[in-house]
Amino acid sequence: MTEQNFIDLLQRIYPCEQSFTLKLTNRCCKTVLGTYNIKNRHIRIHNKDSTVLDCYYTAIHEYAHHLMYTKFNGQEYRPHGKDFHFVYNVLISMAIQKRLLPENLTDRSRHGSADPADEVISRMLKC
């Protein structure tokens, strides 16, 4: 997948008016799979030795940060707090429901909290 493929995927999950850039680093990082830079709205995905599944979920995770910062106009929030995880889980659920993730990449066994059958997420998506 190219950088533009990831950007297109993220915009199809949930379109955001605020632009962002995305870079595949082709590097391996032992502590994080990706980062989001608030100042320049830049998503970086460390894709060397990562599975396609990890890259997809990392892109969605970093995009959730982008949405949190742009939707709240820069107001501070806990980067991995309850609100962030709610947005991340909704994005994952929307991607699954819209069939934007390849079928063999929707195994949620290691990300169980993003189950699209979750009542709260299901109710939000019906709004």
Side-chain angles (χ1 to χ4, degrees):
M1 295 241 341
T2 67
E3 293 160 352
Q4 189 59 49
N5 291 129
F6 278 99
I7 291 170
D8 293 344
L9 171 78
L10 297 172
Q11 288 289 350
R12 283 185 300 210
I13 294 171
Y14 182 85
C16 182
E17 314 82 44
Q18 301 293 326
S19 64
F20 65 95
T21 58
L22 187 142
K23 174 77 174 162
L24 297 172
T25 66
N26 198 29
R27 293 189 333 204
C28 181
C29 185
K30 293 181 181 181
T31 55
V32 295
L33 295 175
T35 59
Y36 176 70
N37 184 298
I38 302 162
K39 292 180 183 175
N40 62 11
R41 298 179 180 159
H42 183 72
I43 295 172
R44 190 174 290 157
I45 300 172
H46 306 304
N47 60 322
K48 186 174 184 180
D49 298 332
S50 293
T51 66
V52 174
L53 177 65
D54 286 334
C55 290
Y56 275 116
Y57 289 122
T58 300
I60 294 169
H61 176 99
E62 301 307 334
Y63 188 57
H65 284 297
H66 173 69
L67 292 174
M68 292 295 290
Y69 279 107
T70 57
K71 290 291 183 185
F72 293 123
N73 299 319
Q75 292 178 348
E76 291 195 25
Y77 74 97
R78 289 187 53 213
H80 292 111
K82 185 178 177 181
D83 292 337
F84 168 80
H85 281 288
F86 182 76
V87 169
Y88 172 70
N89 288 339
V90 169
L91 291 173
I92 293 292
S93 296
M94 291 173 78
I96 292 169
Q97 286 187 346
K98 292 179 178 184
R99 301 185 189 276
L100 296 175
L101 296 177
E103 287 186 30
N104 61 339
L105 298 182
T106 57
D107 174 17
R108 303 300 296 143
S109 60
R110 67 184 199 105
H111 296 282
S113 62
D115 184 354
D118 182 279
E119 275 185 48
V120 174
I121 294 171
S122 179
R123 275 187 263 137
M124 182 184 176
L125 292 172
K126 289 179 183 175
C127 294

